[in-house]
Amino acid sequence: MPMKPLEFDRRYGELDQVISAYLGMPADDEPDRPSEALQAYLRHTWHTRPWALATAEQQIREYARNPPGRLRLSLGEFYPIPDVGLPESAVQDWLFVIADHLRQSIEDGAAPKPCAPRTHWEWHARFPELAQFLGGWFSQDMPDEFADHATAVRDYADSTDPQLVARLAGELHELLALDVEEADYAVAVAELGMEVDPPQPYAPSGWLALVAEELGGGFRAEYGKPEEPA
């Protein structure tokens, strides 16, 4: 019988997070060097969910020690490791290498310095609402759905929960705070799902700053009326 969601999360939830970081990336971890994919997972998790690192190490090591057979995989009783470009015979040793890197990172206790994301997974993990906004409202179909970029932004703001709009504004400010080259901002919006160019005359960073100002400008502090003197 296939696992229920709660059972899956308890046994493989964080393992799945780690493996997801490898999709589209080489699984080229070495005992003395973590892969780019694993470094991205470490950077993001140290700064957002540091307690999850120990869970990941435990789940990966346990899976490597007790790899499932094909029958139990076909029955849905175990987590199936996606194809990461390694021969099946090498997957077990690779998992042990990952677990060792995770344990070493935890024991060292040194969080990686913040920097711009370096992988597709890391961009989406760090800026999830921005990915939703750019991929959902600024795909290649955007010119057919909206009169212009400003109309698309207004549609997002009008149809989205205000808390998510506020989250997007925060992610935009965080992205702009990376202070990278303009070409890197172009890479960022492409990685996050934008398939059309920013409106003229804006470069990507200038348009993102404009959107951040528009979305953040709607929040104002409310003050109660002063009490009348007795």
Side-chain angles (χ1 to χ4, degrees), residues 180-187 203-206:
V180 295
E181 299 293 330
E182 191 59 48
D184 296 316
Y185 284 115
V187 170
S205 65

Side-chain angles (χ1 to χ4, degrees), residues 112-123:
K113 292 183 178 180
C115 67
R118 296 176 184 170
T119 72
H120 181 76
W121 175 89
E122 192 176 7
W123 279 111

Side-chain angles (χ1 to χ4, degrees), residues 131-148:
Q132 178 71 20
F133 170 67
L134 294 177
W137 275 262
F138 294 93
S139 69
Q140 61 183 352
D141 297 326
M142 174 258 171
D144 297 327
E145 297 176 356
F146 302 105
D148 52 27

Side-chain angles (χ1 to χ4, degrees), residues 4-222:
K4 295 181 179 180
L6 181 59
E7 181 185 6
F8 177 90
D9 286 344
R10 284 175 173 170
R11 296 169 63 184
Y12 308 116
E14 200 58 32
L15 163 62
D16 184 52
Q17 289 294 311
V18 176
I19 300 302
S20 294
Y22 283 85
L23 298 182
M25 298 289 294
D28 55 357
D29 302 86
E30 299 290 344
D32 61 343
R33 181 190 58 80
S35 66
E36 189 70 27
L38 185 57
Q39 291 180 56
Y41 171 82
L42 286 168
R43 274 193 303 272
H44 180 70
T45 308
W46 262 114
H47 290 284
T48 57
R49 302 179 302 121
W51 59 85
L53 294 168
T55 301
E57 189 271 343
Q58 180 184 40
Q59 290 183 356
I60 291 172
R61 197 174 297 280
E62 182 63 25
Y63 190 100
R65 286 172 177 162
N66 301 284
R70 295 188 179 185
L71 176 60
R72 301 195 74 177
L73 281 174
S74 66
L75 294 174
E77 297 177 0
F78 276 86
Y79 172 76
I81 297 289
D83 184 4
V84 293
L86 295 175
E88 187 174 342
S89 59
V91 169
Q92 185 178 30
D93 289 341
W94 170 66
L95 290 173
F96 277 124
V97 170
I98 292 177
D100 289 344
H101 280 304
L102 289 168
R103 172 171 289 182
Q104 187 64 53
S105 180
I106 296 166
E107 291 176 347
D108 290 346
K113 292 183 178 180
C115 67
R118 296 176 184 170
T119 72
H120 181 76
W121 175 89
E122 192 176 7
W123 279 111
H124 283 254
R126 186 165 174 181
F127 300 103
E129 189 59 28
L130 183 53
Q132 178 71 20
F133 170 67
L134 294 177
W137 275 262
F138 294 93
S139 69
Q140 61 183 352
D141 297 326
M142 174 258 171
D144 297 327
E145 297 176 356
F146 302 105
D148 52 27
H149 290 65
T151 304
V153 173
R154 286 195 298 272
D155 182 79
Y156 167 84
D158 292 342
S159 61
T160 304
D161 187 285
Q163 296 179 63
L164 295 178
V165 176
R167 183 177 301 170
L168 173 60
E171 290 183 11
L172 285 166
H173 286 293
E174 182 180 350
L175 176 58
L176 293 168
L178 295 177
D179 194 26
V180 295
E181 299 293 330
E182 191 59 48
D184 296 316
Y185 284 115
V187 170
V189 296
E191 289 280 6
L192 291 167
M194 189 171 184
E195 297 178 336
V196 295
D197 291 330
Q200 293 294 329
Y202 294 101
S205 65
W207 179 69
L208 292 172
L210 178 66
V211 174
E213 181 179 357
E214 291 177 352
L215 295 179
F219 300 95
R220 296 287 186 269
E222 294 185 3

